[in-house]
Amino acid sequence: MLFPLDGLGPIPLPEGDDEAPLVLGDVRAVVLEREPEDDYELARAAWAARSERPKSAVLGQLGGRPAWIQADETPSCPSCARTMPFIVQLEEGPDHRTSMNFGGAGSAYAFACEPCGRALFLWQC
């Protein structure tokens, strides 16, 4: 199920003196940066060289083409059977305290068929 962007937002934290403070622990902030290279792996390498940071600091891509770790698994929409457009690729990240877990050095991929309101999420490692 796809949700419209309007109305989505953070869930308010409980208020009141009786509540214990919510401690989140380690978190990671994300910055969107544009890279002119179309190939994801080349774009990661270019960004890492320019920023003097490791490629593992890149946490994914919006749009483009998936950089599959294994074979291409682009899904078909379960409703209309058309190939689902690629939306985002997510990387685990460099710090185990804040990283997502996609099986150890894995990547996750999301696809969506907007007309049908369907989305699929998968990962490879």
Side-chain angles (χ1 to χ4, degrees), residues 75-110:
S76 296
C77 175
S79 296
C80 70
R82 289 184 290 217
T83 299
M84 295 181 87
F86 173 66
I87 303 300
V88 67
Q89 178 171 345
L90 303 172
E91 303 293 338
E92 288 194 354
D95 184 344
H96 74 280
R97 295 172 299 165
T98 58
S99 66
M100 299 170 275
N101 184 347
F102 302 127
S107 291
Y109 311 86

Side-chain angles (χ1 to χ4, degrees), residues 27-33 53 57-62 90-91 98 100:
V27 295
R28 176 170 294 281
V30 176
V31 175
L32 177 63
E33 294 200 23
R53 297 183 61 199
V58 176
L59 297 180
Q61 67 171 328
L62 293 172
L90 303 172
E91 303 293 338
T98 58
M100 299 170 275

